[in-house]
Amino acid sequence: MRFRQVHLDFHTSEAIRGIGKHFRKEQFQEMLKKGHVDSITVFSKCHHGWAYHPSEANETHPELDFDLLGAMIEAAHEIGVNTPVYLSAGLDEKLARRRTEWLIRGQDERTNWAKDFLTPGYHQFCMNTPYLDVLVAQIEEVVTRYDADGIFLDIVGIRECYCQHCVASIRAEGGDPRDKAAMKKLWERTYLNYARRTNEAVHKHKPGLPVFHNGGHITKGRRDLAFLNTHLELESLPTGGWGYDHFPLSARYAQTLGIPYLGMTGKFHTSWGEFGGYKHPNALRYEAALSLANGARCSVGDQLHPEGAMDEATYALIGAAYAEVEAKEPWCIDTENVADIALLSLEAQQAYLYGEPESRHIHADAGAVRMLLEGKLLFDVVDREADFARYRVLILPDAVAVDDELARRLEPFLRAGGKVLATGASGLTPDGGAFALRLGARWLEANPYRPSYFRPAFGIAGLPEASYVMYGAGQRVALAEGGIEHGSRENPYFNRDVFTFCSHQHTPSTLSSDGPGMTEGEDGMYFAWNVFEDYAKKGSLHLRESVLYAIDRLLARRTVRVSLPAQGVVTLQKQPAARRWVNHLLYASPVRRGEGIEVIEDVIPLRDVSASVVVPAPVTDVYLAPSGEKLPFAQDGDVVRYTVPELTSHAMVVLQF
């Protein structure tokens, strides 16, 4: 898999004439060179359903009069650029209006994406219909006729559907379509059958050809679904609704799976389908660097104009980022993340329990990752199948119950000295009646008061001694025998109600302790609120600082310490074959502009960023990559210290052994 990819969308209406009329091989090649692109995903079939090449399995776009796909592949290969081929799998609008009975339906018979046929938009197909045969034939046609370097299948996944094919299937099995559990099993089988047949359609002709099934998100905890792909493309456009927290959360999970993966952002100011929208070059530079820092390769989304000429402004923008990536690649190949901490994803826990998470947006996971990033901690996001022994601290965020199987997995980790940080209802048995771990607390009940208050017995950096409001759901606990209390819980006078309310928001604390709010025991520490969900929603400083206090007690010694501001990011990637570690340091400060759009524009240089790294062997050299500039360093035992004179967006410090 190449490092510098472009995902070239080409969803083009039949109502537009002159499709591809301005495509020229030389201009196409010039833009790829200008953008420092080494792989470009080109289109066989778009969401409108049209093929961009002669086809018997599909219909060529009515306004296209030559083989655009073939011309792009030939032009790209001529200059050494790879060409994975895109097919819209879940959407085919021309066919949707002809075969409405093949579409996904809700219980109310509505279609999805566009709810009806008088609303502009696409309509998604059910893979439990003859449409799957149509799609397989289209895939085989591309694989057998073109020198594709991979197949990208879009808009797929386990889908809820009550079309008449799904209703008939469940009834033929003796089931009832009103039984949600039975339908979920059918929907899962439908997706697995789709993936099996489409993978076979590729690999029976070209064994080993890369195939990726894109659903816009990699579900944590569903390794079986991840391994249906030969590689992963982590779609995560910060300005397109994903935000800047999504990619680190996804990447820190993906790297643990051992599958090649890339980070997919976009050149757009907003999201897919935006013509004439461009993000600031500094934003794209940062996003590409963030991919490298997390062990990923890079992909940037673009959309080709219907007339087929590549947009010069876009490839100047991409080139500014990809020129830097190209220079940095040797220090980003075959890397392994160094992590002190594992976050056992709540999404993964829900996938384990229910087959799918409640939502793609799990606040507890997002809040925990934001705290870990801001705390400059080295971490992975893991599922229950991970090797916990690789880490020193395991975080159970907000609602991770410890059943018998998880307790068995935790036993050797704890016996070897590993520690757990549990928050909220985490660490309890599945029935919620008692703690499954020795965390210094004895469970009493879910706290009926919300919000309540935490009075820490330690200093909160930058804040005075106080009783701090906790908006998340809490638990009432007592101190267990041998437990240590690190702060108390206080309740309000009463909950806000029609006959009992106080002031504009909520009732103040009684200022009296109602038991411990943070405890410590043999297995780790417990914080009695859903602090990670609270942080994702409110971002209160005392939440983060309390969690970092607990982590530092449990960790005892961090592998890396750096003097970056809160929005800075630090990772440490090993390159065993090259006998070196690469310390990635990043800094940018996204601002919210418009409705839900996070923008990076100004990149402020940071001066004299100090760092210390605990290393396993003597270090022979410390330098900045790719410049090769030597950095003075000192090694005291197993700790190496150095200072980066200036950091602008991204620096890579190489520790050579």
Side-chain angles (χ1 to χ4, degrees):
M1 187 167 63
R2 300 288 182 91
F3 260 95
R4 291 164 276 117
Q5 184 162 303
V6 162
H7 185 96
L8 188 64
D9 262 9
F10 198 50
H11 304 295
T12 307
S13 169
E14 62 277 6
I16 298 176
R17 304 201 170 207
I19 302 303
K21 70 179 183 180
H22 288 153
F23 174 82
R24 299 290 183 271
K25 178 177 80 170
E26 295 77 16
Q27 196 263 351
F28 185 71
Q29 292 174 331
E30 181 187 353
M31 291 303 103
L32 295 179
K33 291 175 182 177
K34 185 172 189 160
H36 293 259
V37 176
D38 62 10
S39 180
I40 183 165
T41 301
V42 291
F43 265 45
S44 163
K45 175 192 174 187
C46 72
H47 289 343
H48 294 273
W50 303 112
Y52 295 91
H53 54 87
S55 177
E56 285 79 53
N58 197 359
E59 297 174 42
T60 304
H61 194 291
E63 298 297 330
L64 177 69
D65 60 8
F66 70 104
D67 185 351
L68 179 59
L69 174 64
M72 286 183 165
I73 291 174
E74 180 183 354
H77 283 178
E78 194 173 282
I79 59 170
V81 174
N82 275 4
T83 54
V85 174
Y86 175 104
L87 293 96
S88 178
L91 304 175
D92 184 328
E93 192 58 19
K94 71 171 181 340
L95 192 59
R97 290 181 173 271
R98 301 173 189 171
R99 303 307 301 256
T100 57
E101 72 277 15
W102 292 354
L103 298 176
I104 288 175
R105 298 281 179 170
Q107 286 181 300
D108 59 1
E109 280 297 308
R110 285 194 177 188
T111 54
N112 76 356
W113 280 53
K115 65 182 179 180
D116 53 41
F117 282 91
L118 291 178
T119 302
Y122 305 114
H123 301 81
Q124 191 172 185
F125 278 84
C126 175
M127 298 296 177
N128 189 30
T129 69
Y131 172 72
L132 180 57
D133 298 324
V134 173
L135 176 63
V136 165
Q138 293 169 350
I139 294 168
E140 289 200 49
E141 182 178 71
V142 170
V143 172
T144 56
R145 292 187 181 183
Y146 293 95
D147 187 14
D149 294 302
I151 296 294
F152 186 106
L153 299 170
D154 203 9
I155 319 298
V156 292
I158 298 170
R159 301 288 193 253
E160 183 173 307
C161 181
Y162 291 90
C163 74
Q164 291 309 304
H165 288 271
C166 287
V167 170
S169 292
I170 202 71
R171 294 193 70 198
E173 297 170 3
D176 188 328
R178 292 163 293 193
D179 179 354
K180 187 71 173 282
M183 293 300 287
K184 280 186 173 182
K185 292 178 181 178
L186 171 65
W187 301 329
E188 182 144 334
R189 291 197 304 272
T190 295
Y191 179 67
L192 294 175
N193 180 60
Y194 147 83
R196 176 185 61 80
R197 289 196 58 196
T198 53
N199 283 341
E200 286 175 355
V202 174
H203 294 142
K204 74 179 182 182
H205 299 291
K206 293 185 178 177
L209 191 71
V211 180
F212 179 64
H213 306 274
N214 185 46
H217 178 71
I218 305 301
T219 302
K220 299 167 195 66
R222 291 302 305 268
R223 293 188 178 211
D224 56 333
L225 302 184
F227 286 113
L228 295 171
N229 305 284
T230 57
H231 66 286
L232 301 176
E233 303 197 18
L234 308 182
E235 186 177 2
S236 185
L237 281 65
T239 57
W242 284 263
Y244 277 98
D245 286 343
H246 179 267
F247 177 72
L249 174 54
S250 291
R252 293 278 29 85
Y253 178 67
Q255 195 169 12
T256 69
L257 301 178
I259 311 173
Y261 63 104
L262 56 79
M264 180 187 288
T265 184
K267 67 94 177 181
F268 316 105
H269 174 65
T270 58
S271 193
W272 299 108
E274 180 183 61
F275 294 98
Y278 306 89
K279 65 178 48 169
H280 195 282
N282 285 338
L284 196 56
R285 291 173 58 219
Y286 177 81
E287 290 158 22
L290 190 63
S291 282
L292 299 181
N294 282 283
R297 304 190 178 198
C298 305
S299 178
V300 177
D302 179 27
Q303 177 141 345
L304 184 66
H305 189 276
E307 294 183 351
M310 300 277 271
D311 182 57
E312 293 196 24
T314 292
Y315 288 87
L317 172 63
I318 293 173
Y322 274 2
E324 295 179 2
V325 171
E326 186 174 13
K328 295 171 181 176
E329 285 174 19
W331 293 271
C332 302
I333 297 169
D334 298 327
T335 58
E336 302 172 9
N337 190 50
V338 178
D340 293 326
I341 297 165
L343 171 69
L344 180 54
S345 163
L346 181 55
E347 180 186 8
Q349 176 78 349
Q350 291 178 354
Y352 171 82
L353 294 173
Y354 314 122
E356 60 182 357
E358 294 174 359
S359 166
R360 288 185 175 188
H361 306 287
I362 305 294
H363 290 298
D365 287 353
V369 166
R370 173 44 48 198
M371 284 192 191
L372 293 168
L373 290 171
E374 292 176 356
K376 311 299 172 288
L377 290 155
L378 303 181
F379 68 97
D380 282 333
V381 177
V382 301
D383 56 28
R384 293 166 63 114
E385 297 180 51
D387 179 8
F388 299 154
R390 297 182 55 218
Y391 309 98
R392 289 185 284 152
V393 173
L394 177 67
I395 297 175
L396 306 183
D398 292 358
V400 179
V402 178
D403 55 36
D404 290 344
E405 191 272 337
L406 182 55
R408 284 193 295 272
R409 297 291 316 282
L410 288 171
E411 185 181 355
F413 167 76
L414 296 168
R415 193 168 55 244
K419 299 294 183 181
V420 167
L421 172 61
T423 63
S426 289
L428 296 172
T429 55
D431 64 6
F435 281 101
L437 302 172
R438 298 169 297 179
L439 301 174
R442 180 169 53 83
W443 187 80
L444 300 176
E445 64 174 347
N447 192 356
Y449 292 101
R450 185 173 179 184
S452 53
Y453 297 82
F454 176 54
R455 185 176 291 276
F458 49 87
I460 296 285
L463 293 175
E465 182 179 340
S467 179
Y468 294 100
V469 65
M470 307 293 281
Y471 290 104
Q475 306 293 320
R476 290 188 69 234
V477 299
L479 196 64
E481 185 177 352
I484 302 170
E485 181 175 329
H486 291 278
S488 61
R489 184 188 66 259
E490 297 173 2
N491 291 324
Y493 290 96
F494 40 74
N495 283 328
R496 190 173 181 85
D497 187 62
V498 62
F499 299 118
T500 53
F501 68 90
C502 180
S503 193
H504 298 291
Q505 288 195 56
H506 52 79
T507 313
S509 170
T510 63
L511 303 180
S512 299
S513 174
D514 187 44
M518 180 185 285
T519 62
E520 183 176 358
E522 292 181 53
D523 294 338
M525 295 181 69
Y526 173 71
F527 202 3
W529 290 270
N530 290 359
V531 293
F532 297 120
E533 178 186 16
D534 194 353
Y535 197 67
K537 292 180 177 181
K538 301 287 188 182
S540 301
L541 179 61
H542 64 270
L543 300 172
R544 185 190 75 197
E545 293 303 310
S546 296
V547 167
L548 295 182
Y549 166 82
I551 288 174
D552 280 330
R553 275 192 67 86
L554 298 176
L555 200 55
R557 190 188 197 200
R558 299 186 183 200
T559 296
V560 170
R561 288 190 178 273
V562 296
S563 63
L564 285 172
Q567 289 298 114
V569 173
V570 58
T571 68
L572 188 61
Q573 298 282 343
K574 292 192 289 189
Q575 279 189 300
R579 294 184 53 80
R580 63 192 179 206
W581 286 9
V582 181
N583 180 200
H584 292 264
L585 304 168
L586 298 97
Y587 179 73
S589 187
V591 297
R592 192 170 294 275
R593 187 175 296 165
E595 296 181 358
I597 297 175
E598 294 183 30
V599 172
I600 290 175
E601 183 175 348
D602 299 321
V603 175
I604 309 300
L606 302 180
R607 312 286 182 189
D608 298 326
V609 177
S610 61
S612 66
V613 182
V614 178
V615 293
V619 170
T620 60
D621 197 10
V622 176
Y623 63 93
L624 291 171
S627 70
E629 177 187 345
K630 303 284 188 181
L631 293 182
F633 71 96
Q635 183 163 0
D636 181 8
D638 60 355
V639 178
V640 172
R641 293 181 173 83
Y642 48 86
T643 298
V644 178
E646 181 176 308
L647 165 63
T648 304
S649 184
H650 180 219
M652 298 193 306
V653 182
V654 182
L655 284 69
Q656 191 71 53
F657 295 102

